[in-house]
Amino acid sequence: MTTSAPASPEPRSSGRVRLEDVAAAAGVSRTSASRVMLGQGKVSEETRRRVHAVAEELGYVTNVAASELASGGSSTVGLLLRDASNPAYGLLFTELQKAAHAAGVTLLSMTIKDDDQGRQQIASLHRLMGMRVAGLIVATGGVTSEQLEPFRSRLPIIRAGRPESSGRIHAVSYDEADAARHLAEHLLNLGHNAVAVQTARAVDSYPEFVRSSVMAEVLEERGATVHRLEYGPAGDAMKESVDLVRSGRVTAVMAPSDLRQLNLIRHLQAAGLRTPEDVATTGCDGILPGVDLLGLTTMRIAVENVAERTIANIARMIGVAGTGHDARGNGETAERGPEGPGPEDPAGGRVVHERLPGRFIQGRTAGPPRTTGRKPT
Amino acid sequence: MTTSAPASPEPRSSGRVRLEDVAAAAGVSRTSASRVMLGQGKVSEETRRRVHAVAEELGYVTNVAASELASGGSSTVGLLLRDASNPAYGLLFTELQKAAHAAGVTLLSMTIKDDDQGRQQIASLHRLMGMRVAGLIVATGGVTSEQLEPFRSRLPIIRAGRPESSGRIHAVSYDEADAARHLAEHLLNLGHNAVAVQTARAVDSYPEFVRSSVMAEVLEERGATVHRLEYGPAGDAMKESVDLVRSGRVTAVMAPSDLRQLNLIRHLQAAGLRTPEDVATTGCDGILPGVDLLGLTTMRIAVENVAERTIANIARMIGVAGTGHDARGNGETAERGPEGPGPEDPAGGRVVHERLPGRFIQGRTAGPPRTTGRKPT
DNA sequence: CTGTTAGCGCTTTCAG
DNA sequence: CTGAAAGCGCTAACAG
């Protein structure tokens, strides 16, 4: 009766099959059945086969709640994510998943809306914590370091994609400063010396804030005139950009992301201005599928590397050996944070703080300054 | 001692705080503490406040495993997703999350790689099932209906975004046929009567398969000459498209998605062909952030509507009242499947099969046929 | 309104 | 190699 009734076409639509049912049907104890399901060695081949057969026939699925309760904790890693509709986050999500799969780590994700002053973020965070995940990856700026702090001692937490300011939480991020520097220097080398930089506030988008700050600094260091145009309540960066271009007071406009650059181009077009003929523009991200066709001048951020390093770090912290094919390279590009002998994490290591540089994309939106315009003083 | 020691700056880094600890510290029984945490009415205001205070101070987080085990099941809905790096899927993900939030439904997601012949998909599916989720949303073609079948009687399952062929599983999808028809008719109305249609195999991408099939059918019905160019082993659709255009045998090329259209445009450009001057092109999706700047002629699929209807349906099936602001409209656009009095789902209703139409985007990639070219016979 | 008593389904010593 | 027994931390009747 046990092995002689292979997989009926219509599995019993029994509400729930418990391990006990499987054990009974296979004529063994719960313990043995459990061992088989867990793949722990100490079972005879015969028993193993019978249990597997019965389990499949009955459509048994391990009750994760019971399993984790009994064994005390999950081995999956939680992922807190924001807004996958932004291609940059969507790709990060995909790449994290891919890297996790390769490293034998299971990821459980919750995405969060960015409103509520982080209220919902915290709720999701708590839910993930309640699941007793083995580690946590935070890929959203919506959750602050202070909110993470209480959990820091309970499990490994690592920020992915976003620079971490506190220095007490692990982070693997894009090297925003490097990207900003590259873009600014590109414009300088083209001969621009009057540039508008669209700036974001730290509270709105920390990565954009860092990018725009560094862009402006580099330009000023090298003697260019910089107009900082802030998004949000303080001003209408887009409109002001157009005005500056039209009046010839700047020959280039730097946007802190590609999505912003697209919007900038729309505004310029609406005003009858072309890029690069009338003005040079730059963005940052390089993720958009059509970036080549649009000819955007930008930096391609190192999503794949960030994903891989994030997973490699979390895997190490939760003590997963890894499958071996993720140990190559990239470690060299890492920079340790400036904290000296920083605080210890629960796993006993130093605080990880890696910044991964991107790749410059020349594009067509940034040419030399228009010579017909009034020369800047 | 209880309320007089508010949130110490450094919460005890105790490994795990149990409800019992909270109860003890608050001087009540586990039951009362539990009731407070669950927000169930029967507790005095005084008790409630004390428990909350202590819980916060101790950094207590409900153990989800224990909670679900005791209460018999979770109230969250599982989401099986594929490849959020595709903007169309990324946006769907985000919108599902948004709609779920609005409807008071918690979503737990697992993404899957598309390899392994669906092996990993099944593993993820099992894991979600093992979590005893209350319902399941499947937003990937990688899992077949047959693989879903065994679980159909155990919990509500609904497909999102992808047309469901079996008719036994609930589905809310984009109206691919409608989109294809619109695009084909647009070309016909422009005067094209020799068109290349890039086709996808059903196994590779079912949505693209449906789109390309219908495009070709509509064109042929209206007397146009159609060249079907298949992706994959059977041929090089991109190269063949370019050849047909160059030799003047077609005046338009239809791609089954915007990503494909972008690739097509790249190939055409590489061959020195411009769109729309030398050839009209169309795509499908309309999700790409730069779609307007690229001037793509396409259909904007109804991601938001699909997300909302999906959540509305699953919420109804798992018996969530909803917050009320999701009951408006859109129900009218639904079409019931052709199954007559279809099979009943666990909740007792008919099989849901809604198809939501998108919106045409005129773009600039499709103009009238080039008059200088050789006229088709 | 509060506490006491049983389990939820599984893993895991610890003996056979 | 296998089984019996003892919980994991919580919720849910049921009495006070």
Side-chain angles (χ1 to χ4, degrees):
Chain A
M1 263 305 177
T2 50
T3 52
S4 59
S8 54
E10 282 287 348
R12 292 138 191 64
S13 45
S14 42
R16 56 225 324 158
V17 184
R18 293 161 307 148
L19 183 60
E20 182 163 2
D21 304 328
V22 175
V28 297
S29 71
R30 290 207 319 262
T31 312
S32 294
S34 174
R35 285 199 262 254
V36 170
M37 298 315 290
L38 293 178
Q40 294 176 338
K42 285 74 180 44
V43 209
S44 76
E45 194 47 50
E46 163 63 9
T47 301
R48 176 177 307 287
R49 201 183 23 259
R50 267 224 312 279
V51 170
H52 269 138
V54 172
E56 174 142 355
E57 193 199 347
L58 263 41
Y60 171 73
V61 177
T62 302
N63 183 324
V64 176
S67 170
E68 293 188 345
L69 181 56
S71 67
S74 149
S75 69
T76 66
V77 169
L79 170 61
L80 215 50
L81 193 81
R82 147 182 169 180
D83 196 5
S85 65
N86 180 329
Y89 278 95
L91 182 60
L92 177 59
F93 185 30
T94 298
E95 292 296 327
L96 280 171
Q97 200 70 46
K98 198 179 295 181
H101 180 61
V105 172
T106 303
L107 243 44
L108 213 51
S109 340
M110 303 205 65
T111 39
I112 54 200
K113 266 179 68 187
D114 214 27
D115 60 350
D116 306 325
Q117 298 235 353
R119 190 85 59 93
Q120 200 215 332
Q121 276 97 320
I122 296 308
S124 302
L125 186 60
H126 274 229
R127 184 159 188 86
L128 244 19
M129 295 301 307
M131 295 185 147
R132 300 296 190 265
V133 291
L136 191 62
I137 298 174
V138 180
T140 163
V143 176
T144 67
S145 305
E146 298 79 60
Q147 294 169 323
L148 256 24
E149 194 60 33
F151 302 112
R152 194 170 58 89
S153 56
R154 314 253 248 259
L155 84 176
I157 302 181
I158 185 166
R159 268 219 140 93
R162 179 193 195 278
E164 169 60 42
S165 42
S166 89
R168 314 193 54 178
I169 303 258
H170 304 290
V172 176
S173 62
Y174 309 119
D175 194 336
E176 311 287 7
D178 177 74
R181 200 172 302 115
H182 268 278
L183 290 162
E185 287 177 350
H186 181 64
L187 288 182
L188 288 164
N189 294 342
L190 284 170
H192 294 272
N193 60 9
V195 179
V197 175
Q198 300 193 338
T199 66
R201 296 181 304 172
V203 291
D204 292 331
S205 168
Y206 191 71
E208 291 191 3
F209 165 73
V210 173
R211 290 170 186 171
S212 44
S213 303
V214 175
M215 286 171 188
E217 283 162 21
V218 171
L219 289 168
E220 282 169 343
E221 274 169 20
R222 300 258 306 252
T225 305
V226 173
H227 298 258
R228 287 166 214 251
L229 310 179
E230 188 174 285
Y231 302 118
D236 185 340
M238 289 300 167
K239 184 182 174 305
E240 294 168 24
S241 299
V242 171
D243 291 344
L244 285 172
V245 172
R246 189 149 30 189
S247 64
R249 280 176 292 167
V250 303
T251 57
V253 182
M254 304 192 75
S257 77
D258 280 347
L259 256 24
R260 304 274 199 191
Q261 182 178 200
L262 289 185
N263 214 12
L264 170 62
I265 294 175
R266 287 189 191 100
H267 278 84
L268 290 168
Q269 283 187 354
L273 294 163
R274 293 155 307 159
T275 164
E277 292 85 349
D278 299 317
V279 57
T281 66
T282 64
C284 199
D285 269 2
I287 303 299
L288 239 52
V291 71
D292 56 329
L293 293 172
L294 289 162
L296 301 185
T297 295
T298 187
M299 287 288 292
R300 169 58 156 79
I301 55 179
V303 182
E304 295 79 1
N305 293 344
V306 163
E308 198 208 324
R309 293 300 307 150
T310 300
I311 297 297
N313 278 304
I314 202 92
R316 179 175 46 73
M317 291 173 190
I318 68 175
V320 170
T323 46
H325 47 241
D326 51 299
R328 24 115 231 231
N330 286 96
E332 308 312 317
T333 56
E335 293 175 15
R336 254 55 193 180
E339 349 291 332
E344 305 283 315
D345 79 316
R350 199 68 63 75
V351 168
V352 172
H353 201 175
E354 304 181 8
R355 286 192 190 81
L356 275 17
R359 177 171 50 79
F360 179 66
I361 296 181
Q362 174 119 20
R364 281 175 274 111
T365 58
R370 176 176 54 169
T371 45
T372 57
R374 131 155 77 116
K375 286 223 182 76
T377 10
Chain B
M1 268 299 178
T2 51
T3 51
S4 59
S8 55
E10 281 289 348
R12 292 135 193 67
S13 47
S14 42
R16 59 239 305 170
V17 185
R18 294 163 305 148
L19 183 60
E20 181 162 3
D21 304 328
V22 175
V28 297
S29 71
R30 290 207 319 263
T31 312
S32 292
S34 173
R35 285 199 263 255
V36 170
M37 298 315 291
L38 293 178
Q40 294 177 339
K42 285 73 180 41
V43 211
S44 76
E45 193 48 50
E46 163 64 10
T47 302
R48 175 177 308 285
R49 200 181 27 258
R50 266 225 313 278
V51 170
H52 269 140
V54 173
E56 174 141 358
E57 193 200 345
L58 264 42
Y60 170 73
V61 178
T62 302
N63 182 323
V64 176
S67 169
E68 292 188 345
L69 182 56
S71 67
S74 150
S75 69
T76 67
V77 169
L79 170 61
L80 215 50
L81 194 80
R82 145 183 170 180
D83 195 6
S85 67
N86 180 328
Y89 277 95
L91 182 59
L92 177 59
F93 185 30
T94 299
E95 291 296 327
L96 280 170
Q97 199 71 45
K98 198 180 294 180
H101 180 63
V105 172
T106 302
L107 244 44
L108 213 52
S109 341
M110 303 205 65
T111 39
I112 55 199
K113 265 179 70 189
D114 214 25
D115 60 349
D116 305 325
Q117 297 235 356
R119 190 84 60 91
Q120 200 214 333
Q121 277 97 322
I122 296 309
S124 302
L125 188 60
H126 274 232
R127 183 158 189 90
L128 243 19
M129 295 302 306
M131 296 185 141
R132 299 295 191 265
V133 291
L136 191 61
I137 298 174
V138 179
T140 164
V143 177
T144 67
S145 305
E146 298 78 60
Q147 294 169 322
L148 256 24
E149 194 61 31
F151 302 112
R152 194 169 59 89
S153 55
R154 316 252 249 257
L155 84 175
I157 301 181
I158 185 166
R159 269 220 138 93
R162 179 193 195 277
E164 169 58 42
S165 42
S166 88
R168 315 192 54 177
I169 303 261
H170 305 288
V172 177
S173 62
Y174 308 120
D175 193 335
E176 310 288 7
D178 177 73
R181 198 173 302 117
H182 269 277
L183 290 162
E185 287 177 351
H186 181 64
L187 288 182
L188 287 164
N189 293 342
L190 284 171
H192 295 272
N193 60 9
V195 179
V197 176
Q198 299 192 340
T199 66
R201 295 182 305 171
V203 291
D204 292 331
S205 168
Y206 192 71
E208 291 191 3
F209 165 73
V210 173
R211 290 171 186 170
S212 45
S213 303
V214 175
M215 286 171 186
E217 282 162 21
V218 170
L219 289 168
E220 282 170 342
E221 273 170 19
R222 300 257 308 249
T225 304
V226 173
H227 298 257
R228 288 166 214 250
L229 311 178
E230 189 175 285
Y231 301 118
D236 186 340
M238 289 300 168
K239 183 180 174 307
E240 294 168 23
S241 299
V242 171
D243 290 344
L244 285 172
V245 171
R246 189 151 28 189
S247 64
R249 280 177 291 166
V250 303
T251 56
V253 181
M254 304 192 76
S257 78
D258 280 348
L259 257 24
R260 304 275 199 189
Q261 183 179 198
L262 289 184
N263 214 12
L264 169 63
I265 294 175
R266 287 188 191 100
H267 277 84
L268 290 168
Q269 283 188 353
L273 294 164
R274 293 154 308 158
T275 165
E277 293 85 349
D278 300 316
V279 57
T281 67
T282 64
C284 198
D285 270 2
I287 303 300
L288 239 53
V291 70
D292 56 329
L293 292 172
L294 289 162
L296 301 185
T297 296
T298 187
M299 287 288 292
R300 169 58 156 78
I301 57 179
V303 182
E304 295 79 1
N305 293 344
V306 163
E308 198 209 324
R309 294 300 305 151
T310 300
I311 297 296
N313 277 305
I314 203 93
R316 179 174 46 73
M317 291 172 191
I318 68 175
V320 169
T323 46
H325 49 241
D326 52 299
R328 27 113 228 230
N330 288 93
E332 309 313 317
T333 56
E335 294 177 15
R336 255 54 192 178
E339 347 293 331
E344 305 282 314
D345 80 317
R350 198 69 61 77
V351 169
V352 173
H353 200 176
E354 304 181 10
R355 286 192 190 81
L356 274 21
R359 179 171 49 78
F360 179 66
I361 297 179
Q362 173 118 21
R364 282 175 274 109
T365 58
R370 176 176 54 167
T371 46
T372 57
R374 134 154 76 115
K375 287 223 182 74
T377 8

